[in-house]
C-alpha cells in the first residue's frame, strides 16, 4: 500500500482550512499542518486555501508542502450574528475562493465545518470530504457551560442552536473523517460514509526519559473557558496536596492564574515562550494532569504528553480511543484526582516500551494519511 501511494506524484487536491496552520502551535492547526505534510509525502500537490484573522504570512514551511497557498481574510461583519448560519462559518467566505477552486479540477477536503460556507455560494464539481474537528454543537455547549461572562455565554448558546441544525448537512459530503470514536458514532446517524482517523500530531517517536519527574503539569490555552474551568478545578485539588508541586503553563492567562494562586506556595504559573520550552516542561513533569468538561474530539495536549512525558492523569473527555486510553490513568471526581496524584507522585514511570508500541500503531501520521488517500483515490473510480 505504501509503495502505491509514494509513486502517486503530483495528485492535485484542494484543502480549505479554517486558519493558517503555521506555526502549528494550537490543537486544530496542528492536525491541519501535519496532515498536509503527510499528504505531501504521499505525492499530493495541494492547493491550500486558508482563512485568517492575523496569521497572514505564508511561511517557507507551508510553501514547501503545498503547490500553492491562497489566503482569505475572515469577514467579521457583526450583522452575521443575525444569520441562521453559525458565525464561525459565515465569516469564512471570499468570492475569489470559488474561482480558485474551479480553476483546478481536484477533490476538496474541508478542514472543519467552519470552512464550508463556499458550499452555500457555489455548486462545486469536485468530490467533497470533511475533516470534522469537532461536533461544534457540543463544543459550543461546553463553552457555554464554562463561560462566566454573560454576553459571551449568550453568543455561545446561539452558536449551539445554529450548529445543531447545520450539522445535519453532513450527508452532503462524499466522506467524513472524525477525530474521535464518539463523533464517528454520532455522524453515522447522518451519513454512512464516515471513518475515524486519529489526530495528526507531528511526533515521530516516544521520548526516552528517566523514571522520575519533578512535578505535576497542566498546560493549555487559557483564552478558552473550558481550560479556565479546568485550571480552577486543579487549583482546588492542589490546595489539598500542599506537599506536591503543580505547574500551570500557558502562553496566556497569567493574570487569571496568579490572582488565584497567590496564597499557595506549591502552585506556580509559567509562561510558555516556545515549543522547546514546552518540551522541557513535559520532559521534567512526572504527572500530566489533563481534563476537560466537554466531550469534543481528541485533545492534542494529551497526545504530546504521551510522546514527551510520563504519567498522564485524565478524565474521560480527553480521548475515547480505547488504545490510547490504556496508556492513561483515569479520574473523574475531585476525590479520585487527589487519590491518583498521591499514588502516582512517588511511583516510577516504567511504561515506555508499551507506550512506544501502541502509539506507533495508532498515531502514525503517515499511516493515517494513507487511510485518507485510499478513500479519496477509491472515489475516483
Amino acid at each position: 500500500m505504501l509503495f502505491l501511494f509514494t509513486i502517486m506524484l503530483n495528485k492535485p487536491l484542494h484543502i480549505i482550512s479554517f486558519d493558517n496552520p503555521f506555526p502549528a502551535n494550537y490543537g486544530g492547526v496542528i492536525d491541519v499542518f501535519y496532515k498536509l505534510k503527510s499528504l505531501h509525502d504521499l505525492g499530493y500537490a495541494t492547493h491550500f486555501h486558508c482563512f485568517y484573522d492575523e496569521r497572514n504570512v505564508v511561511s517557507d514551511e507551508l510553501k514547501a508542502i503545498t503547490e500553492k497557498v491562497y489566503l482569505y481574510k475572515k469577514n467579521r461583519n457583526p450583522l452575521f450574528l443575525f444569520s441562521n448560519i453559525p458565525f464561525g462559518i459565515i465569516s469564512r467566505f471570499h468570492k475569489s475562493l470559488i474561482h480558485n477552486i474551479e480553476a483546478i479540477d481536484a477533490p476538496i477536503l474541508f478542514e472543519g465545518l467552519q470552512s464550508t460556507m463556499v458550499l452555500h455560494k457555489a455548486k462545486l464539481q469536485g468530490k467533497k470530504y470533511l475533516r470534522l474537528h469537532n461536533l461544534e454543537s457540543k463544543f459550543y455547549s461546553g463553552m457555554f457551560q464554562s463561560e462566566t461572562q454573560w454576553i459571551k455565554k449568550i453568543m455561545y448558546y446561539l452558536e449551539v442552536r445554529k450548529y445543531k441544525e447545520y450539522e445535519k448537512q453532513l450527508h452532503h459530503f462524499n466522506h467524513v473523517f472524525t477525530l474521535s470514536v464518539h463523533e464517528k458514532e454520532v455522524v453515522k446517524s447522518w451519513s454512512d460514509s464516515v471513518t475515524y482517523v486519529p489526530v495528526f500530531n507531528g511526533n515521530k517517536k516516544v521520548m526516552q526519559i528517566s523514571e522520575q519527574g519533578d512535578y505535576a503539569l497542566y498546560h493549555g490555552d487559557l483564552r478558552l473557558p473550558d481550560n479556565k474551568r479546568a485550571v480552577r478545578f486543579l487549583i482546588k485539588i492542589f490546595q489539598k496536596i500542599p506537599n506536591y508541586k503543580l505547574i500551570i503553563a500557558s502562553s496566556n492567562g497569567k493574570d487569571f492564574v496568579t490572582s488565584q494562586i497567590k496564597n499557595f506556595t506549591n502552585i506556580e504559573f509559567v509562561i510558555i515562550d516556545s515549543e522547546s520550552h514546552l518540551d522541557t516542561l513535559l520532559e521534567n513533569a512526572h504527572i500530566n494532569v489533563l481534563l476537560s468538561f466537554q466531550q469534543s474530539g481528541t485533545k492534542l495536549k494529551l497526545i504530546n504528553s504521551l510522546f514527551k512525558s510520563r504519567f498522564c492523569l485524565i478524565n474521560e473527555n480527553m480521548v475515547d480511543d480505547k488504545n490510547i486510553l490504556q496508556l492513561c490513568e483515569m479520574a473523574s471526581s475531585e476525590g479520585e484526582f487527589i487519590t491518583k496524584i498521591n499514588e502516582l507522585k512517588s511511583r516510577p514511570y516504567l511504561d515506555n516500551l508499551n507506550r512506544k508500541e501502541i502509539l506507533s500503531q495508532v498515531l502514525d501520521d503517515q499511516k493515517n494519511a494513507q487511510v485518507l488517500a485510499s478513500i479519496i483515490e477509491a472515489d475516483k473510480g
Side-chain angles (χ1 to χ4, degrees):
M1 180 66 75
L2 178 60
F3 174 75
L4 289 177
F5 287 119
T6 53
I7 63 172
M8 289 194 318
L9 299 177
N10 297 317
K11 290 284 185 178
L13 175 70
H14 290 290
I15 293 181
I16 307 175
S17 177
F18 55 88
D19 200 357
N20 185 335
F22 197 88
N25 55 4
Y26 73 89
V29 296
I30 291 173
D31 181 76
V32 174
F33 181 78
Y34 288 106
K35 183 187 319 101
L36 185 60
K37 186 175 187 300
S38 298
L39 289 171
H40 170 77
D41 292 343
L42 291 181
Y44 280 92
T46 302
H47 295 262
F48 189 73
H49 311 261
C50 62
F51 289 87
Y52 70 91
D53 271 325
E54 298 174 350
R55 296 159 67 109
N56 61 345
V57 175
V58 181
S59 64
D60 291 339
E61 289 85 351
L62 194 55
K63 290 177 182 177
I65 56 176
T66 57
E67 185 71 12
K68 188 171 182 180
V69 178
Y70 310 80
L71 294 180
Y72 312 93
K73 176 74 172 176
K74 282 192 282 187
N75 183 357
R76 293 193 170 275
N77 186 335
L79 294 177
F80 290 164
L81 292 169
F82 300 100
S83 171
N84 290 328
I85 297 174
F87 186 82
I89 295 173
I90 197 171
S91 61
R92 289 176 170 90
F93 175 72
H94 196 281
K95 287 182 180 179
S96 62
L97 175 61
I98 299 173
H99 170 76
N100 292 336
I101 291 175
E102 290 179 340
I104 306 293
D105 182 19
I108 309 165
L109 175 62
F110 293 85
E111 292 286 358
L113 282 174
Q114 298 98 321
S115 66
T116 60
M117 187 62 197
V118 66
L119 296 177
H120 298 269
K121 300 290 188 176
K123 278 196 169 186
L124 303 178
Q125 298 304 311
K127 299 276 187 177
K128 302 169 189 67
Y129 303 89
L130 174 68
R131 172 53 148 180
L132 189 68
H133 283 258
N134 282 304
L135 284 168
E136 299 294 346
S137 60
K138 288 199 171 187
F139 175 78
Y140 280 101
S141 178
M143 299 278 274
F144 165 76
Q145 292 171 29
S146 297
E147 182 56 64
T148 56
Q149 296 181 24
W150 66 270
I151 293 179
K152 289 184 178 180
K153 206 171 181 71
I154 291 171
M155 292 178 65
Y156 290 144
Y157 174 73
L158 294 174
E159 287 292 278
V160 171
R161 294 184 60 180
K162 293 175 184 179
Y163 271 113
K164 281 184 176 178
E165 288 301 313
Y166 198 87
E167 285 167 350
K168 295 176 183 177
Q169 302 179 50
L170 292 178
H171 67 277
H172 293 309
F173 296 95
N174 293 84
H175 209 94
V176 178
F177 305 102
T178 69
L179 270 169
S180 75
V181 177
H182 167 73
E183 289 167 352
K184 174 188 173 182
E185 296 306 312
V186 174
V187 173
K188 275 184 177 179
S189 65
W190 297 308
S191 173
D192 294 329
S193 301
V194 56
T195 300
Y196 162 57
V197 178
V199 63
F200 291 81
N201 58 89
N203 291 292
K204 300 294 186 183
K205 61 181 180 178
V206 174
M207 297 297 293
Q208 283 291 125
I209 49 180
S210 63
E211 296 178 1
Q212 191 69 38
D214 301 324
Y215 47 76
L217 174 67
Y218 173 87
H219 72 280
D221 183 348
L222 295 184
R223 293 170 298 182
L224 299 178
D226 183 57
N227 289 346
K228 286 185 176 181
R229 187 177 175 187
V231 163
R232 286 191 289 264
F233 180 85
L234 291 173
I235 291 172
K236 188 177 179 182
I237 284 174
F238 277 84
Q239 290 174 12
K240 299 176 182 179
I241 316 175
N243 61 342
Y244 197 62
K245 184 176 183 178
L246 169 66
I247 290 180
I248 299 168
S250 181
S251 58
N252 46 65
K254 180 180 179 180
D255 292 343
F256 163 71
V257 178
T258 53
S259 65
Q260 299 182 62
I261 65 173
K262 56 187 176 183
N263 296 323
F264 304 101
T265 57
N266 66 317
I267 306 175
E268 177 186 351
F269 177 79
V270 172
I271 295 176
I272 301 172
D273 56 29
S274 65
E275 185 177 349
S276 61
H277 182 204
L278 176 57
D279 288 347
T280 299
L281 290 169
L282 290 167
E283 181 182 353
N284 293 322
H286 193 65
I287 309 170
N288 295 272
V289 279
L290 299 167
L291 69 150
S292 175
F293 292 94
Q294 58 191 56
Q295 186 180 27
S296 57
T298 299
K299 309 302 189 294
L300 255 298
K301 55 192 168 189
L302 169 61
I303 303 306
N304 283 332
S305 299
L306 286 169
F307 274 97
K308 298 176 180 179
S309 193
R310 296 175 182 82
F311 293 108
C312 292
L313 175 59
I314 67 170
N315 72 347
E316 62 182 2
N317 290 334
M318 294 299 296
V319 67
D320 63 5
D321 186 311
K322 62 182 181 180
N323 296 298
I324 300 174
L325 279 171
Q326 67 180 292
L327 301 175
C328 304
E329 301 286 334
M330 302 296 297
S332 297
S333 66
E334 179 183 324
E336 288 177 359
F337 269 93
I338 291 172
T339 299
K340 277 288 186 180
I341 291 164
N342 283 322
E343 174 192 331
L344 294 171
K345 65 185 183 182
S346 57
R347 186 203 294 177
Y349 173 69
L350 301 169
D351 197 36
N352 202 262
L353 291 177
N354 184 47
R355 189 178 285 191
K356 282 183 178 180
E357 181 179 353
I358 291 172
L359 293 181
S360 67
Q361 294 171 2
V362 180
L363 291 171
D364 183 295
D365 286 352
Q366 210 62 30
K367 291 178 183 177
N368 290 328
Q370 289 171 25
V371 173
L372 268 71
S374 65
I375 291 171
I376 292 171
E377 293 305 310
D379 276 354
K380 291 180 178 179

